[in-house]
Amino acid sequence: MAPKHFLQFQDFSRDELDYLFERTRWIKERFKRYELYQPLRDRTLAMVFEKASTRTRVSFEAGMNQLGGIAINLNRGDTQLSRGEPIEDLARVISRMVDVVMIRTFEQAIIERFAAHSRVPVINGLTNEYHPCQILADIYTYVEHRGSIAGRTVAWIGDSNNVCRTWLQAATLLGFSVHVSTPPGYEIRPATGTRDASHFRFFADPHAACHGADLVTTDVWTSMGFEAENEERKRDFARWRVDAEMLRHAKPDAVFMHCLPAHRGEEVAAEVIDGPQSVVWDEAENRLHAQKALLEYLVCGRVKA
Ligand code: CP
């Protein structure tokens, strides 16, 4: 039987996502009580990084260890990928040796090619197009703070990047709306991010996008791989900084999220990210718990609590 992968958010059904959020809660509660839970004893995760990472690396490695397994870290420069080994051959080889693989790479096509030749589940740890593990943790964080996200409104301010596109997939699956505001020339192309446009509205004005929002979120103006555009983007995005004045357009109990790393004074003001509506540290921590639920599901299937 072909393994189940998590290459983009819409690879999972709403029922599977609800199950994962419930497992995340259960796993996090046990972790907070210092109770051992090791369903992945003798199991191995291989992590392939073609781009830098802090949160993804630590949360997957710590999470795998806490579940009783081990994680092997493979940075591109230390592997034969850097000397031209085809990604398909890497998939064929390491999927005979480990139980699950997490990859952070460039184009989505690379991880799709890997998965097509893998005997074991493959997890997207960020591609140019999507960041599904991030949105798993973000939505869990929203649920933890405010309850169900169904029917709510998320305001995405700034670059229409991989995280934004993943929010759009999640909105379709889980029944909430995303207001997107980007500078001219950086607009999202709905066809690449959504199966339908009914949960998506574009706003030229970022304040208007925040109006009535339950959650306001942003990301760096320059994603990994686009560094050459940094100075031009700083000029183009200057009006898309989330500051206290912008956040006031959202609902009074709106939360602020940022997947991190953040650049205070660029895409977000310190008064917002370090302010009372910010849940970014819970959001970062929940990468650990949500990915432990994901690893358990992909390796063991559904388990009874
Ligand atoms: N948000 C996120 O994926 O962080 P890292 O790039 O540090 O892994």
Side-chain angles (χ1 to χ4, degrees), residues 22-292:
E22 178 51 28
R23 288 304 294 164
T24 301
R25 185 192 62 76
W26 189 89
I27 286 169
K28 183 174 181 177
E29 282 177 7
R30 288 191 71 120
F31 176 80
K32 294 293 180 184
R33 294 197 300 263
Y34 296 97
E35 289 176 18
L36 270 188
Y37 177 61
Q38 300 195 319
L40 300 190
R41 268 193 305 278
D42 299 326
R43 303 298 192 128
T44 303
L45 165 70
M47 304 186 295
V48 180
F49 283 101
E50 298 207 79
K51 294 180 178 176
S53 169
T54 300
R55 280 144 287 270
T56 304
R57 163 83 196 271
V58 174
S59 55
F60 268 107
E61 185 162 346
M64 195 64 190
N65 291 342
Q66 290 161 17
L67 292 170
I70 64 159
I72 298 171
N73 188 48
L74 297 162
N75 288 323
R76 179 186 168 83
D78 303 329
T79 71
Q80 300 290 8
L81 278 178
S82 64
R83 298 176 64 243
E85 182 167 30
I87 196 83
E88 291 84 355
D89 289 358
L90 180 72
R92 289 183 178 104
V93 172
I94 69 173
S95 72
R96 286 173 178 242
M97 299 174 177
V98 304
D99 301 281
V100 55
V101 179
M102 188 286 304
I103 306 182
R104 168 167 288 197
T105 186
F106 296 92
E107 292 80 22
Q108 184 73 10
I110 298 173
I111 198 168
E112 305 270 356
R113 280 162 52 207
F114 186 101
H117 295 85
S118 173
R119 291 183 170 192
V120 300
V122 179
I123 298 169
N124 181 344
L126 181 146
T127 58
N128 291 351
E129 287 85 353
Y130 300 114
H131 198 356
C133 292
Q134 183 66 54
I135 301 307
L136 210 52
D138 289 7
I139 292 174
Y140 179 76
T141 306
Y142 186 83
V143 171
E144 200 172 49
H145 280 269
R146 295 286 185 268
S148 172
I149 199 164
R152 303 290 188 170
T153 298
V154 174
W156 175 272
I157 308 300
D159 191 20
S160 56
N161 65 7
N162 46 8
V163 183
C164 175
R165 277 193 287 273
T166 311
W167 271 114
L168 293 177
Q169 285 196 344
T172 302
L173 275 163
L174 298 175
F176 60 91
S177 299
V178 184
H179 291 179
V180 178
S181 182
T182 68
Y186 296 90
E187 293 88 354
I188 190 85
R189 287 166 294 160
T192 63
T194 57
R195 285 189 288 190
D196 67 68
S198 61
H199 299 276
F200 162 72
R201 279 185 69 191
F202 180 77
F203 293 79
D205 174 8
H207 293 94
C210 288
H211 188 74
D214 300 282
L215 190 170
V216 176
T217 185
T218 186
D219 195 1
V220 292
W221 289 339
T222 307
S223 292
M224 284 182 282
F226 296 86
E227 288 79 4
E229 301 174 12
N230 201 23
E231 290 311 310
E232 186 183 346
R233 283 171 172 259
K234 278 185 187 172
R235 285 192 297 276
D236 292 346
F237 282 79
R239 281 183 50 236
W240 276 261
R241 175 177 305 118
V242 180
D243 57 16
E245 208 251 310
M246 192 183 288
L247 196 56
R248 267 195 289 278
H249 290 265
K251 286 184 180 164
D253 69 342
V255 293
F256 173 77
M257 290 191 194
H258 189 308
C259 66
L260 305 176
H263 295 166
R264 289 169 176 78
E266 292 188 17
E267 76 278 1
V268 63
E271 63 194 359
V272 169
I273 194 168
D274 300 319
Q277 288 171 266
S278 173
V279 296
V280 299
W281 312 121
D282 289 340
E283 179 188 5
E285 177 188 330
N286 283 335
R287 292 289 303 276
L288 172 72
H289 310 299
Q291 289 162 195
K292 285 168 74 177

